[in-house]
C-alpha cells in the first residue's frame, strides 16, 4: 500500500510521548509522499525536545522535494516558543500535503492549540505514535491517558494509532510485535483505530502479516 493510501488526509499531525519516534516517522512519511509525486511540506513544530528534530535533516528533505518549515537557523538550537509564519501556508494551501511534527507529550502539543480553528477547517488526521519500550507509556492505561491529555490540550481528536515500537539500533521484529499488542490494547481502551505498524524495511519478511509502513532510520543522536 502506498503512503498516500495509508495516510490519505491532507494534513497529518504526528503526536505522542517524547522518545516514541515521532520525528523519525514524520521524516519518513514526508519522504515517502514526495517519492509518490505529492507536493509535501514538513513542519517542525517541536519546540520542546532538543534532540531528533526534523530540521536536522533539512538537506535530505529538500533534495527529495520536501519543503521544510522550521524556526530560523539562528534559533535551531534554542528551545523557545517560536514558530515560522510559513506554517500558515502549509495549513492554507490545499494543493500541499502537510506533515506536522509536534513536540512530545501534552506540553509539547500545546503549541498546536493556537492553530486549532484553522486545522478544524481542513482534512486532517491526528496520529498518536506508540512505542511499547518507552517506560512512561508502556501500559495501555498510561498511554491512553497521554493520548487523551493531548486531545484536551490541542482541542483536536486523535484519529489513528501508529505502532512504532523500537529500541534504536537494537530493535528486533519481536519488539515490533510487542508494540502490536500494546497498540491493540490502547485501541480497545480509546476506540481509536490502529492505522499501521512502522518498522525498518529489513523486518518486512518477518512481519508480512501486518499492515506495515516501512521506514529507514534517518535520525541520529547529536553525538553519533
Amino acid at each position: 500500500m502506498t503512503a498516500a493510501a495509508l495516510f490519505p488526509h491532507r494534513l497529518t499531525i504526528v503526536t505522542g510521548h517524547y522518545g516514541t519516534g515521532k520525528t523519525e516517522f514524520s521524516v519518513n512519511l514526508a519522504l515517502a509522499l514526495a517519492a509518490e509525486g505529492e507536493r509535501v511540506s514538513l513542519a517542525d513544530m517541536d519546540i520542546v525536545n532538543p534532540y531528533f528534530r526534523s530540521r536536522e535533516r533539512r538537506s535530505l528533505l529538500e533534495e527529495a522535494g520536501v519543503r521544510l518549515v522550521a524556526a530560523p537557523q539562528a534559533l535551531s538550537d534554542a528551545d523557545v516558543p517560536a514558530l515560522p509564519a510559513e506554517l500558515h501556508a502549509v495549513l492554507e494551501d490545499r494543493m500541499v500535503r502537510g506533515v506536522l511534527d509536534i513536540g512530545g507529550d501534552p506540553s509539547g502539543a500545546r503549541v498546536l492549540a493556537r492553530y486549532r480553528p484553522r486545522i478544524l477547517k481542513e482534512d486532517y488526521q491526528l496520529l498518536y505514535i506508540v512505542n511499547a519500550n518507552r517506560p512512561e507509556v508502556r501500559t495501555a492505561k498510561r498511554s491512553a491517558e497521554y493520548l487523551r491529555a493531548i486531545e484536551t490540550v490541542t482541542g483536536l481528536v486523535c484519529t489513528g494509532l501508529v505502532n512504532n515500537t523500537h529500541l534504536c539500533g537494537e530493535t528486533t521484529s519481536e519488539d515490533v510485535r510487542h508494540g502490536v499488542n500494546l497498540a491493540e490494547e490502547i485501541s480497545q481502551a480509546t476506540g481509536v483505530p490502529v492505522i499501521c505498524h512502522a518498522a525498518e524495511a529489513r523486518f518486512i519478511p518477518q512481519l508480512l502479516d501486518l499492515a506495515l509502513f516501512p521506514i529507514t532510520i534517518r535520525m541520529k543522536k547529536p553525538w553519533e
Side-chain angles (χ1 to χ4, degrees), residues 33-205:
L33 290 171
E36 292 171 8
E38 300 279 352
R39 287 181 57 200
V40 185
S41 289
L42 172 57
D44 181 352
M45 298 178 68
D46 189 346
I47 58 173
V48 175
N49 188 1
Y51 303 135
F52 303 115
R53 287 171 167 169
S54 305
R55 71 191 76 168
E56 301 300 333
R57 293 297 173 265
R58 179 182 294 274
S59 296
L60 171 68
L61 292 163
E62 292 181 346
E63 288 173 5
V66 177
R67 180 188 180 195
L68 178 65
V69 177
Q73 185 61 37
L75 298 178
S76 63
D77 296 318
D79 295 322
V80 296
L83 291 170
E86 292 90 337
L87 179 58
H88 291 283
V90 178
L91 300 178
E92 296 171 3
D93 187 349
R94 293 178 176 170
M95 299 300 292
V96 170
R97 294 287 299 269
V99 178
L100 280 59
D101 180 12
I102 309 302
D105 71 36
S107 297
R110 185 169 290 114
V111 69
L112 194 63
R114 75 182 72 169
Y115 299 100
R116 177 179 178 272
R118 183 61 191 148
I119 291 172
L120 289 176
K121 297 178 181 179
E122 301 301 323
D123 174 32
Y124 82 92
Q125 58 187 344
L126 177 63
L127 302 180
Y128 180 80
I129 306 300
V130 175
N131 183 348
N133 288 324
R134 290 298 301 170
E136 300 88 344
V137 285
R138 63 174 27 156
T139 68
K141 181 179 183 296
R142 186 58 176 153
S143 197
E145 289 173 350
Y146 256 82
L147 185 157
R148 294 309 188 199
I150 288 172
E151 288 182 324
T152 298
V153 167
T154 62
L156 301 173
V157 176
C158 181
T159 60
L161 306 175
V162 174
N163 168 33
N164 187 42
T165 298
H166 65 88
L167 278 173
C168 297
E170 299 179 5
T171 305
T172 67
S173 60
E174 286 74 22
D175 289 310
V176 179
R177 289 196 181 278
H178 177 48
V180 171
N181 295 331
L182 177 60
E184 290 176 349
E185 290 178 14
I186 298 170
S187 179
Q188 292 174 4
T190 62
V192 179
V194 178
I195 302 299
C196 67
H197 308 276
E200 290 181 72
R202 62 190 173 101
F203 294 130
I204 291 178

Side-chain angles (χ1 to χ4, degrees), residues 1-9 12 25 28-29 31-38 97 125 195-196 211-214:
M1 183 178 291
T2 65
L6 198 55
F7 305 99
H9 301 277
T12 298
F25 173 81
N28 272 271
L29 177 57
L31 291 172
L33 290 171
E36 292 171 8
E38 300 279 352
R97 294 287 299 269
Q125 58 187 344
I195 302 299
C196 67
L212 287 181
F213 176 62

